[in-house]
Amino acid sequence: GAVVSQHPSWVICKSGTSVKIECRSLDFQATTMFWYRQFPKQSLMLMATSNEGSKATYEQGVEKDKFLINHASLTLSTLTVTSAHPEDSSFYICSVGQGEKTQYFGPGTRLLVL
Amino acid sequence: AQKVTQAQTEISVVEKEDVTLDCVYETRDTTYYLFWYKQPPSGELVFLIRRNSFDEQNEISGRYSWNFQKSTSSFNFTITASQVVDSAVYFCALSAPGAQKLVFGQGTRLTINP
């Protein structure tokens, strides 16, 4: 399956700062990547679908101006949490889908906003 | 709308016992895919199995087996002779064709005690 990496693996930042998370597909050209968020002891919730060369599609309730997504190449999508606040602290996971078949997930990024 | 229900929030068994994790889904699509993922304490999601809606054959992979029954909209997962390394959170997920994005259940935290 596809190999997906994320950077950083964890980050601590002050409230009000912006944080960028990178998701890379190492061995597969991904026109579509997905960003999920997982709060402690909860399930994964899809935030947005990242489309290479076009605007991301956001799920209902996710602020597109707060969670900026850029998918500039077939192997890289970035998620920027702008003006982060403590309630944004979460585990952010990206995935790469191989058609309809299987999604392969990155190792995740733990964000802690103080 | 699609929905996945994993009614068992937490399960704890002693090593070598068999354990079954339940998954019930709802969808109006006639074609869909079902998945199981394992999330160990590290957080990374590990793909276990994908099943399409037209394939109701049960599957066995080592100590793991899956029972798909469309009549009851269930896709249950059984681990036989459980081991401590099986301790993790297990997620059942559903996707529609073309959509790629996954709808996850709430997850079942499985603890295997030595």
Side-chain angles (χ1 to χ4, degrees):
Chain A
V3 179
V4 183
S5 70
Q6 280 184 243
H7 178 80
S9 56
W10 64 279
V11 56
I12 301 174
C13 69
K14 292 182 179 180
S15 184
T17 61
S18 294
V19 176
K20 180 186 284 189
I21 302 170
E22 294 184 347
C23 175
R24 293 184 184 275
S25 176
L26 301 182
D27 60 352
F28 177 73
Q29 292 190 322
T31 56
T32 304
M33 293 185 180
F34 302 90
W35 286 97
Y36 293 83
R37 179 169 54 183
Q38 184 182 29
F39 292 108
K41 295 193 175 183
Q42 293 189 25
S43 188
L44 286 80
M45 297 298 293
L46 180 67
M47 298 175 66
T49 302
S50 172
N51 303 299
E52 188 267 335
S54 65
K55 292 182 179 180
T57 304
Y58 290 82
E59 296 298 302
Q60 193 172 10
V62 178
E63 300 175 56
K64 62 181 181 180
D65 294 331
K66 180 169 182 63
F67 298 99
L68 302 179
I69 292 174
N70 185 286
H71 193 155
S73 77
L74 290 172
T75 59
L76 174 64
S77 174
T78 60
L79 168 67
T80 301
V81 183
T82 61
S83 187
H85 291 285
E87 58 266 29
D88 298 322
S89 298
S90 187
F91 189 50
Y92 292 87
I93 312 173
C94 70
S95 72
V96 170
Q98 291 190 316
E100 301 173 340
K101 296 186 176 179
T102 303
Q103 282 193 29
Y104 294 94
F105 288 82
T109 297
R110 296 191 186 278
L111 170 63
L112 177 61
V113 185
L114 301 176
Chain B
Q2 298 182 322
K3 184 179 179 181
V4 177
T5 302
Q6 293 178 254
Q8 304 150 309
T9 306
E10 295 189 27
I11 299 176
S12 180
V13 300
V14 177
E15 199 172 19
K16 297 184 183 178
E17 287 186 19
D18 298 347
V19 58
T20 295
L21 283 61
D22 298 333
C23 173
V24 175
Y25 63 92
E26 296 176 30
T27 180
R28 293 180 181 175
D29 297 307
T30 54
T31 303
Y32 50 88
Y33 294 88
L34 294 162
F35 303 80
W36 275 95
Y37 286 88
K38 174 182 180 180
Q39 187 177 42
S42 63
E44 185 166 358
L45 282 166
V46 178
F47 167 76
L48 295 178
I49 190 172
R50 177 191 77 245
R51 192 44 111 223
N52 76 53
S53 52
F54 296 110
D55 183 1
E56 286 195 70
Q57 265 194 324
N58 291 333
E59 180 153 341
I60 299 174
S61 177
R63 297 183 297 106
Y64 295 171
S65 63
W66 291 269
N67 185 340
F68 176 29
Q69 294 201 353
K70 286 181 77 171
S71 60
T72 56
S73 296
S74 65
F75 187 42
N76 297 336
F77 172 34
T78 298
I79 302 175
T80 57
S82 60
Q83 300 176 3
V84 173
V85 294
D86 296 326
S87 296
V89 180
Y90 290 85
F91 289 98
C92 180
L94 170 70
S95 76
Q100 295 189 35
K101 60 184 181 182
L102 294 171
V103 174
F104 284 87
Q106 288 301 305
T108 297
R109 182 175 300 275
L110 176 64
T111 302
I112 310 297
N113 300 298

